Amino acid sequence: MRRSIRRHGLIAAAGLAALTLLAGCAATDGGTAEAEPVTLGDGEPGPAEDTEITVAIPFPDITMYSMYVLATDLGYYDEEGLTVEVITADNVTAAVASGSADIGVESTGTVIEAIRGGVEVDLVGGHYCRQNFDFAAQQGITKVEDLEGTSIVLAGTPGDPAEFQRKLVLKEEGWDLDTVQTEVVYPGPGSESWTEFFVNDRISMQPFYADDLPALEEHGANVIVESLRNWANDVQVAGSGWVAENPNTLVRFLRATLKATDYMTAPAPGEFPENVDSVLDIYEANDFDVSALRDSESPWVLDGHLACSNLYFDADAWDTTIETQSLEPIEFDASQLVYLEKAQELLGIDNAGPETLPYP
């Protein structure tokens, strides 16, 4: 997980919606999701069935989950007749499956394993379609052999599928950890705890995010790998029962969120965001500390390099996650995406995958 920029609560407002749809998606143990045919009406959706939506996120981070704040403040949810409240949850998938939240953002690998295990959630859209993989090593460590006999961090907690992806990227970048003996340690889910271990010389290498870099640089860290991959990082999920009962709400919610994501990434990922001042003003008005972002000249100041404005996800993204995270294969149920595809259609966009971008 990346480190968060704290805020004392996240609440948003939104507007009226609708669409006709027959569906139900339920996973079975170790199998694929079984779904009834879904019928979507032409044109505008009908009124929203549920007008008050709770969205669960794993931790408060203004750039990573900004589309929900933006969609509220820009009035996109209000236009759809929705009121949206954003909460944090230790286990987003469990919160959604239990009904504590209607929609959640969770890591792609975690969602795949939840569906495999029979948790009744549907993958209803992408969130971030790319991942950055950055690694820092202690001063003087310049090759993989220098890690011999040391402790390293690849993930915050045991069993995190991201550990496999990070190990794969390191190998592809010339740092094959299978050629050395190291101890993998797990300091905790937030990258701030990894950095704390690093600056106290308790580990020799760690993944890092942009907000960890100042402390690492002050410590004299050596940035050994910087890489960007077109791999889905997170996805949006909803409870299967809630989806079946609220198809119009879901399409309207996704349409508003698509608008907000497009606003954040305009004119296009890889270019300096044209709405940066407006976006940062909205963040600040919602009690987020944006002082470190105000003077940034980076085109990635809003994390736009990680987002696809069409909230892309498809079977290819599913299969890539399984391959790169060394998961057991499970077939993707494409019927879950009919709500996203309808919202995209209403906005005149498609579900094209991410373009390859140079690393920031």
Side-chain angles (χ1 to χ4, degrees):
M1 285 185 178
R2 62 175 295 140
R3 196 171 87 182
S4 59
I5 301 173
R6 298 287 172 187
R7 180 195 170 200
H8 299 298
L10 291 161
I11 295 184
L16 178 45
L19 167 90
T20 321
L21 177 97
L22 307 169
C25 300
T28 56
D29 264 344
T32 62
E34 300 293 334
E36 295 297 325
V38 176
T39 304
L40 295 170
D42 294 331
E44 280 292 303
E49 298 87 3
D50 184 358
T51 61
E52 297 184 1
I53 299 174
T54 300
V55 176
I57 60 176
F59 51 91
D61 185 305
I62 186 51
T63 56
M64 199 166 189
Y65 307 106
S66 60
M67 56 279 293
Y68 306 119
V69 175
L70 294 176
T72 294
D73 281 47
L74 292 169
Y76 297 149
Y77 289 136
D78 191 55
E79 291 170 2
E80 302 289 356
L82 305 175
T83 299
V84 175
E85 179 185 10
V86 180
I87 64 171
T88 58
D90 292 335
N91 187 324
V92 170
T93 303
V96 171
S98 69
S100 298
D102 304 309
I103 295 169
V105 181
E106 184 62 277
S107 68
T108 315
T110 298
V111 170
I112 290 173
E113 290 306 282
I115 291 174
R116 183 199 310 283
V119 179
E120 294 189 354
V121 295
D122 291 355
L123 192 164
V124 297
H127 177 72
Y128 271 3
C129 62
R130 301 181 184 88
Q131 296 187 57
N132 60 304
F133 292 89
D134 301 335
F135 298 88
Q138 294 288 354
Q139 192 172 22
I141 293 179
T142 59
K143 57 186 182 301
V144 69
E145 290 79 10
D146 296 332
L147 297 174
E148 182 72 36
T150 67
S151 297
I152 65 172
V153 169
L154 289 174
T157 54
D160 184 344
E163 181 173 337
F164 296 100
Q165 286 186 321
R166 290 169 181 151
K167 189 175 179 181
L168 175 60
V169 171
L170 283 165
K171 181 177 181 178
E172 292 176 348
E173 298 291 332
W175 289 75
D176 186 354
L177 296 178
D178 288 334
T179 65
V180 292
Q181 292 291 324
T182 60
E183 179 189 13
V184 180
V185 297
Y186 303 94
S191 63
E192 71 274 17
S193 62
W194 314 345
T195 301
E196 187 70 19
F197 269 51
F198 189 95
V199 299
N200 284 288
D201 298 317
R202 298 177 62 183
I203 55 174
S204 61
M205 188 194 74
Q206 70 163 84
F208 72 89
Y209 298 99
D211 44 6
D212 303 309
L213 189 56
L216 294 171
E217 289 180 332
E218 183 178 354
H219 185 69
N222 177 29
V223 176
I224 58 173
V225 171
E226 293 178 293
S227 184
L228 189 65
R229 296 285 197 276
N230 287 344
W231 299 347
N233 187 21
D234 300 304
V235 290
Q236 297 181 83
V237 295
S240 301
W242 185 89
V243 171
E245 294 174 359
N246 298 282
N248 299 308
T249 297
L250 182 53
V251 171
R252 288 184 174 274
F253 171 83
L254 289 169
R255 178 165 63 175
T257 307
L258 283 163
K259 289 180 181 179
T261 309
D262 181 66
Y263 188 90
M264 178 186 72
T265 56
E271 299 182 36
F272 190 82
E274 63 186 16
N275 298 316
V276 63
D277 290 333
S278 172
V279 170
L280 292 180
D281 287 346
I282 290 171
Y283 293 172
E284 196 164 48
N286 284 274
D287 301 327
F288 286 99
D289 180 5
V290 299
S291 55
L293 303 176
R294 283 289 185 188
D295 298 324
S296 175
E297 298 180 356
S298 168
W300 319 114
V301 59
L302 302 178
D303 268 6
H305 58 306
L306 302 180
C308 285
S309 56
N310 63 353
L311 296 178
Y312 159 80
F313 196 85
D314 64 8
D316 287 343
W318 175 277
D319 291 341
T320 296
T321 300
I322 288 172
E323 179 183 356
T324 59
Q325 295 191 1
S326 298
L327 306 177
E328 288 296 318
I330 177 175
E331 186 178 353
F332 179 59
D333 175 14
S335 71
Q336 299 170 101
L337 294 183
V338 294
Y339 314 95
L340 174 64
E341 290 167 348
K342 178 63 179 180
Q344 291 169 334
E345 174 193 324
L346 291 167
L347 293 173
I349 58 180
D350 59 24
N351 195 36
E355 297 180 3
T356 299
L357 296 178
Y359 188 78

